[in-house]
Amino acid sequence: MKKKKHMNYDRADVRALRNGNICSRMVGGDYGEVRFDSVEQASIFFARELDYIKTQTYDVEHPEMTALAIFPVTSEVPEGAETFTYYSYDKTGMAAIINNYATDLPRVDVKGEPSTGYVKSIGDSYGYSVQEMRASKMANKSLDVRRGETARYAMDYLVNKIAWAGDKKNKLVGILSEDNDIPKYVLSTVTVDGKERTEFRYKNADQILDDINGMQKYSSKITKNVEKPDTLVLPSHVYIDLSTRRIPDTETTVLKFIMDHAPYLKEVREANELQAESTDINPTGSNVAFLFTNDERKLSLEIPMHFYQYPLQEKGLEIEIPCEQRVAGMVIYYPLSALIVEGI
């Protein structure tokens, strides 16, 4: 990695390096080009290196972590909280025709069922040995940024897994968790080689559209037309099929046909986590579609404290950077604003 001039540094990292033994050993030492004139100079040099790595780690993006890209992300719960209470809501009551001077106006309300959510810390760390720091200075090359990126990736992976599958042991809710009150929709079947199949790959454009509009009709029925889910998430291979398969004798893809004729659908997204093969995240054993209203008032991925890198800690002949994040999983305020569809 080519050396980049980086002038910023974390003062806490400087103090930790200055008060430790690693930089003091490099001052005036017989390390050839690794010589420093003072502990302060050595401390600032390596603090700048680490600040550059931390900056790159915060900036790195992993688009394959679909939950972080698809769902609304909120941070309403204080990072110090261990639990929080939220309500799953349902509208009750209706208006009526009234007489002049009426005093018995119908009462409407919002009925809420309280639920308790839990906040958990997740963490990892990365670090560098004294020799790696010497080699970095001697070769005029930056320390390996990939370690910091890997720490961030591991954290994002776990948050993404919790968002989709939850964590029953730690009482964190995910989209595919049991007992999260999201209703399920049963797809229509077609006969293929004497077998009844529900998968989209066996259906033509009209049959697929009927299924998707059937999902919308089901949401409308169970909510009295209150909920109109607008975002459909499909397993990646199903999304690719719909976006590339053309309707016979036309230039129109099945996906475009669906978007033109599904009245409430605004967006179709893909998620590899919904494939049957993603057994570490998808517990259903089948390909799953998820239809929901993309609005943080309906559901959100609650992250009370985002990825944070603490000042370095000197441990023997290496320095270590601890990383932490606090996550509460999915908070589903209106379960009936979404649908889970298996066998897609």
Side-chain angles (χ1 to χ4, degrees), residues 193-212:
D193 297 329
K195 295 182 178 179
E196 297 297 314
R197 311 301 301 244
T198 60
E199 296 94 325
F200 278 2
R201 62 187 172 128
Y202 296 114
K203 298 176 179 178
N204 60 36
D206 286 321
Q207 291 168 332
I208 294 171
L209 179 63
D210 285 344
D211 275 337
I212 292 175

Side-chain angles (χ1 to χ4, degrees), residues 215-216 219 229-233 265 289-293 337-339:
M215 299 176 201
Q216 294 283 10
S219 289
D230 56 24
T231 304
L232 177 64
V233 189
L265 198 61
F290 181 60
L291 181 68
F292 74 107
T293 304
S337 69
L339 279 180

Side-chain angles (χ1 to χ4, degrees), residues 47-96:
R48 284 174 176 165
E49 290 286 294
L50 294 173
D51 188 82
Y52 171 71
I53 291 167
K54 288 181 176 181
T55 300
Q56 297 300 304
T57 299
Y58 282 124
D59 289 343
V60 70
E61 296 181 359
H62 299 290
E64 65 270 27
M65 304 299 180
T66 57
L68 297 168
I70 292 174
F71 301 126
V73 177
T74 55
S75 300
E76 297 175 359
V77 178
E79 62 184 44
E82 296 289 341
T83 62
F84 63 100
T85 299
Y86 66 96
Y87 288 79
S88 298
Y89 292 104
D90 186 21
K91 297 178 178 67
T92 62
M94 61 183 66

Side-chain angles (χ1 to χ4, degrees), residues 285-317:
S286 67
N287 296 306
V288 177
F290 181 60
L291 181 68
F292 74 107
T293 304
N294 198 347
D295 185 338
E296 67 181 39
R297 294 172 298 178
K298 305 292 186 177
L299 59 77
S300 68
L301 172 56
E302 179 65 23
I303 302 179
M305 186 180 85
H306 289 266
F307 180 76
Y308 180 76
Q309 301 177 84
Y310 287 94
L312 67 90
Q313 298 177 6
E314 185 175 316
K315 294 187 175 181
L317 296 178

